[in-house]
Amino acid sequence: MHALTAVFAADILSPELGLLFWQFVVFILILWLLSKFAWKPITGALKEREDSIENALKSAEQAKLEMTRLKADNEKLLEEARAERDAMLRQARQTADGLIEEAKNKAAAEGNRAVEAARQAIQQERQAAIQDIRQQVASLSLEIAEKVLRGQLKDEAAQRTLVNRMVEDSNLN
Amino acid sequence: MAQTPEEGHAAQADKPFNIGEMITHHVADSHEWHFATIGHTHVTLPLPVILYIPGEGLEVFSSSRFHAEGHHESGHEKHTYKGFYIDEADGKLKATDPSRKFYDFSITKNVASLFLSAILLVVVFGSIASAYKKRSGQAPKGLQSLFEPIVVFIRDDIAKANIHGKDKHGHPMYEKFLPYLLTVFFFIWFNNLLGLLPGGANVTGNIAVTLFLAVATLIATHIRSNRYYWGHIFAPPVPKALWPIMIPIELIGILTKPFSLMIRLFANITAGHIIILSLLGLIFMFRNVFVGGVVVPFVLFLNGIELLVAVLQAYIFTLLSSMYIGSAVEGHESHDDLGH
């Protein structure tokens, strides 16, 4: 058994020329064949796929950026539109306010003028009425005076006293 | 390799079962591919014997010539053909005249298995490569998706992770070695797995094969080695007084690295086969069915472990190869980072 173990150890530990030769031939052959017809297309395809995935990711990222940019643009446009609308509304309101103010002023002026005219008319009427009253009073006074004069004016003194007193009393102003 | 041990041997009452012989027979190379023995009939594939005899030229004949007379009761008798015979003690081909010089280039069991694995590798990866061409831009499918993660793993975690720098054209250095690393990985893995099949040959557990692979890594390491690598060997960064010690150590180091690769792969695979064969041999030594009941589940478990070892050893060989290559092509900057 011991001798056999020694033979066994010597046997499996000594490389054989024939196998070494065939291993050389086979390995070089498959190294060449696989490198040319397997590893090159496989690693090439893997790299291509990785590149395409990377590119896809990159373009997705770019599209996302583009989207945010567009969104920001839209936001800005919207903001501008809103501002414009506000400005237009404000202007319209101002115009309307101006119109109302003008109308109001005009109305007020018209009213004032009417009032003034009315007042003037009233003043004139009043003046006329006073004039009228004055004339009537004068004529009445004359009538009264005539009557009184006729009745009382027997003497001159009495006549004078009466006239004076009546004039004083009839001071209407 | 977990081949049905030869019932024939055990059945021969006059010849007791010899476990050492059985293991040697299964682990060592052979000139014929023996699958099984049913009764007294050997199910064997004879393989071509190719001999180069200096002065006489090539001699090619079938190994069945050594059994030309058919099977006798003494089936293991020496049969000589053209002055050669198979020595039953070590299974080697020998000349009847010991002084006759010849070189044995026979297609042995290991060589045949080697061819088989080479064909398998070329067919499998050739079809995967054509799938990549045919299904360009599509998701991988079938074999393609089975091997793609492994190829990517070898590329990213073995080659790219250990081989840094760029060549003078600006291409990453690892791309130069990736075909070699991929070939070595799948060559070792496929042969390890073929070796585990019942009746399979022990290719990666043969020292000649691992010797060649180790030499290939040695060459790959030095083919593009740079001046920093050689500077590290011939002008190590230690006081000059230590150079007479350090330089020989560094020079030996060049050889110990591939040597360790050679021994590691050979020993792991051969040991796995020997353990399984020894356990199965117990059944025939004790000739007891209860031993079989214990041994068979355990052998099954060990076979599972061997499947793991098959891929692990391929991984270790490839990883260490890429580390050795990486250390030889590394630039100076990264050396400083490592504190050298």
Side-chain angles (χ1 to χ4, degrees):
Chain A
M1 195 68 172
H2 188 76
L4 194 113
T5 316
V7 166
F8 174 66
D11 185 39
I12 64 166
L13 278 174
S14 52
E16 284 198 55
L17 180 72
L19 186 54
L20 204 55
F21 166 77
W22 286 114
Q23 162 70 4
F24 172 79
V25 171
V26 168
F27 192 84
I28 295 298
L29 195 72
I30 59 163
L31 181 60
W32 178 74
L33 276 174
L34 290 179
S35 299
K36 197 167 158 60
F37 299 110
W39 308 137
K40 209 172 156 188
I42 290 172
T43 52
L46 284 175
K47 203 167 185 179
E48 207 171 282
R49 193 200 297 157
E50 275 158 18
D51 287 350
S52 88
I53 289 170
E54 202 163 315
N55 281 340
L57 284 176
K58 223 178 263 170
S59 60
E61 189 66 27
Q62 222 147 26
K64 213 166 113 190
L65 278 176
E66 189 78 5
M67 275 294 284
T68 19
R69 209 174 56 78
L70 274 174
K71 221 167 145 189
D73 274 8
N74 278 348
E75 205 71 28
K76 219 171 81 186
L77 274 174
L78 217 67
E79 200 57 45
E80 271 174 17
R82 210 172 283 143
E84 204 167 333
R85 190 199 61 188
D86 283 357
M88 278 166 83
L89 273 174
R90 207 163 34 240
Q91 207 173 350
R93 203 174 291 135
Q94 268 173 5
T95 314
D97 284 356
L99 278 173
I100 290 166
E101 194 66 28
E102 205 180 327
K104 233 186 237 168
N105 286 345
K106 225 183 213 168
E110 203 70 27
N112 283 347
R113 207 165 54 238
V115 167
E116 196 59 36
R119 196 179 287 140
Q120 270 174 8
I122 289 166
Q123 195 68 28
Q124 277 172 2
E125 289 295 308
R126 202 169 140 221
Q127 215 68 35
I130 289 170
Q131 205 67 35
D132 195 30
I133 289 168
R134 226 179 240 154
Q135 279 174 359
Q136 278 186 18
V137 166
S139 62
L140 210 63
S141 303
L142 279 175
E143 255 176 70
I144 294 166
E146 199 187 309
K147 275 177 192 160
V148 170
L149 279 174
R150 257 176 223 175
Q152 291 187 348
L153 286 183
K154 286 142 182 174
D155 63 308
E156 207 184 291
Q159 281 175 7
R160 197 167 294 269
T161 315
L162 185 74
V163 168
N164 280 343
R165 210 179 61 224
M166 283 176 93
V167 167
E168 256 169 60
D169 284 350
S170 66
N171 192 1
L172 290 167
N173 274 341
Chain B
M1 195 62 201
Q3 167 183 340
T4 322
E6 297 169 28
E7 294 92 342
H9 282 278
Q12 282 168 345
D14 54 335
K15 199 179 172 196
F17 174 67
N18 183 334
I19 191 164
E21 200 178 90
M22 187 272 277
I23 291 170
T24 313
H25 172 77
H26 283 88
V27 170
D29 207 354
S30 160
H31 278 83
E32 55 186 21
W33 202 324
H34 178 242
F35 296 100
T37 303
I38 299 156
H40 285 277
T41 320
H42 294 280
V43 183
T44 314
L45 180 72
L47 296 165
V49 174
I50 302 166
L51 300 174
Y52 176 72
I53 306 149
E56 291 177 47
L58 276 178
E59 193 74 71
V60 182
F61 55 89
S62 166
S63 68
S64 62
R65 297 281 186 194
F66 294 123
H67 305 295
E69 264 79 12
H71 297 292
H72 305 262
E73 273 307 296
S74 52
H76 295 278
E77 204 180 283
K78 259 206 260 185
H79 284 290
T80 57
Y81 182 76
K82 289 190 177 176
F84 297 100
Y85 70 99
I86 304 279
D87 187 348
E88 286 298 328
D90 59 4
K92 283 204 170 82
L93 191 137
K94 285 177 184 162
T96 39
D97 173 12
S99 64
R100 196 174 176 198
K101 248 188 110 54
F102 68 95
Y103 299 99
D104 188 356
F105 291 106
S106 301
I107 308 300
T108 58
K109 184 176 168 184
N110 278 344
V111 177
S113 184
L114 206 57
F115 287 167
L116 195 69
S117 71
I119 291 165
L120 207 59
L121 279 166
V122 170
V123 167
V124 166
F125 289 101
S127 76
I128 291 172
S130 69
Y132 273 103
K133 268 183 220 153
K134 233 181 283 165
R135 299 172 46 79
S136 165
Q138 286 173 275
K141 208 175 130 190
L143 266 188
Q144 206 187 349
S145 49
L146 175 66
F147 284 104
E148 186 180 299
I150 304 170
V151 171
V152 170
F153 175 76
I154 292 167
R155 188 193 62 183
D156 292 346
D157 291 303
I158 294 182
K160 213 187 265 182
N162 292 302
I163 305 169
H164 306 284
K166 287 182 192 300
D167 65 3
K168 52 183 177 289
H169 302 295
H171 297 299
M173 199 54 123
Y174 81 88
E175 282 182 359
K176 290 267 177 296
F177 296 99
L178 189 57
Y180 172 69
L181 294 172
L182 285 166
T183 308
V184 156
F185 178 84
F186 287 110
F187 176 84
I188 295 173
W189 191 27
F190 274 46
N191 276 300
N192 285 349
L193 291 178
L194 284 176
L196 286 174
L197 289 177
N202 184 22
V203 174
T204 39
N206 186 292
I207 199 95
V209 172
T210 61
L211 170 68
F212 174 82
L213 292 172
V215 170
T217 290
L218 179 71
I219 293 167
T221 307
H222 294 88
I223 206 160
R224 278 174 184 273
S225 55
N226 58 22
R227 60 202 171 92
Y228 302 113
Y229 172 73
W230 292 110
H232 221 264
I233 289 165
F234 290 110
V238 290
K240 278 202 168 65
L242 288 174
W243 282 15
I245 305 168
M246 283 307 290
I247 292 172
I249 288 174
E250 292 282 356
L251 283 173
I252 293 166
I254 294 174
L255 293 176
T256 52
K257 286 171 185 171
F259 188 79
S260 71
L261 286 180
M262 172 180 85
I263 295 297
R264 183 180 298 109
L265 182 58
F266 156 76
N268 272 287
I269 303 306
T270 303
H273 288 180
I274 290 175
I275 288 172
I276 288 176
L277 290 166
S278 308
L279 284 169
L280 286 175
L282 287 178
I283 302 171
F284 298 92
M285 280 174 83
F286 289 104
R287 295 192 188 182
N288 187 327
V289 75
F290 297 109
V291 175
V294 176
V295 163
V296 168
F298 195 57
V299 167
L300 214 58
F301 165 71
L302 279 174
N303 253 316
I305 300 271
E306 283 303 303
L307 284 174
L308 183 72
V309 169
V311 70
L312 192 69
Q313 287 305 321
Y315 166 68
I316 290 173
F317 195 101
T318 316
L319 179 71
L320 289 174
S321 290
S322 90
M323 282 166 79
Y324 299 156
I325 292 166
S327 75
V329 300
E330 205 160 29
H332 203 219
E333 320 80 48
S334 28
H335 255 258
D336 285 342
D337 290 340
L338 292 168
H340 287 291

